[in-house]
Amino acid sequence: MIHPDTALRYINDEIGYGVFATAFIPKGTITYVKDELELEIPLDQLQEYPIQLQKQIEKYSYIDPFGNYVLSWDLGKYVNHCCFCNTMSTAYGFEIAIRDIEAGEEITDEYGLMNPQEPMMIQCHKVGCRLFVQKEDVHTYADQWDPVLKEVLLLIPRVNQPLMELIDIQTYSELNYFLNDPNQYKSIRNLELQKKC
Ligand SMILES: [Zn+2]
């Protein structure tokens, strides 16, 4: 589930829809939790769906480390990529605001953390845009992104967290483990799709 202070808006014909903050969302706010309503489709079962649905799954899902497409039941699936995103996935199964997000600002993500199977063209129109994302991004940028995430995760107890009650018990205990001892931080390298033996 995505943060409740969000709304879907049409941007333009090129980008389509995007998700916008309807209120100020401070840095350190959990902005997405993989809740119990999210649809999980194992990668190797995609072919069992009609082509039209396969296209929807591939367009709107992210891929978790365990080899599942995860398709959001709510606005979460419309969040666009930006190379200078304001939210980011963590290895704790939730996403977090990595900087303050003003009301009216678009909520953006880093698709490089979502295991794109093929290199994916992206156009965020920012100076320094990487132009495409690929599954290797998590390795390439982990040393750059982990310190950012580690810093904002420590803010979790200090800001309002409307999604906190959706976090499962195991994640909650892992998070508390980290909050009590920041050396126990779980790197985003854990988001990489695990190879099957
Ligand atoms: Zn870009």
Side-chain angles (χ1 to χ4, degrees), residues 83 122 124 129-130:
C83 297
I122 39 124
C124 65
C129 175
R130 306 203 304 277

Side-chain angles (χ1 to χ4, degrees), residues 7-21:
L8 186 65
R9 274 196 217 158
Y10 185 73
I11 301 174
N12 58 39
D13 288 349
E14 184 200 346
I15 298 170
Y17 288 89
V19 177
F20 290 77

Side-chain angles (χ1 to χ4, degrees), residues 81-84 110 122-133:
H81 168 91
C82 178
C83 297
F84 303 91
E110 174 51 68
I122 39 124
Q123 289 176 318
C124 65
H125 300 297
K126 303 275 187 202
V127 176
C129 175
R130 306 203 304 277
L131 302 178
F132 64 95
V133 291

Side-chain angles (χ1 to χ4, degrees), residues 106-150:
E106 186 179 4
I107 294 190
T108 53
D109 247 343
E110 174 51 68
Y111 281 7
L113 293 175
M114 298 182 177
N115 289 308
Q117 294 292 281
E118 305 291 335
M120 179 195 278
M121 294 284 292
I122 39 124
Q123 289 176 318
C124 65
H125 300 297
K126 303 275 187 202
V127 176
C129 175
R130 306 203 304 277
L131 302 178
F132 64 95
V133 291
Q134 54 187 346
K135 59 186 175 207
E136 290 81 9
D137 285 356
V138 60
H139 259 311
T140 309
Y141 297 102
D143 288 345
Q144 187 180 322
W145 294 340
D146 268 332
V148 173
L149 287 165
K150 194 172 170 182

Side-chain angles (χ1 to χ4, degrees), residues 19-33:
V19 177
F20 290 77
T22 56
F24 175 69
I25 298 176
K27 179 176 168 178
T29 304
I30 293 168
T31 51
Y32 164 86
V33 173

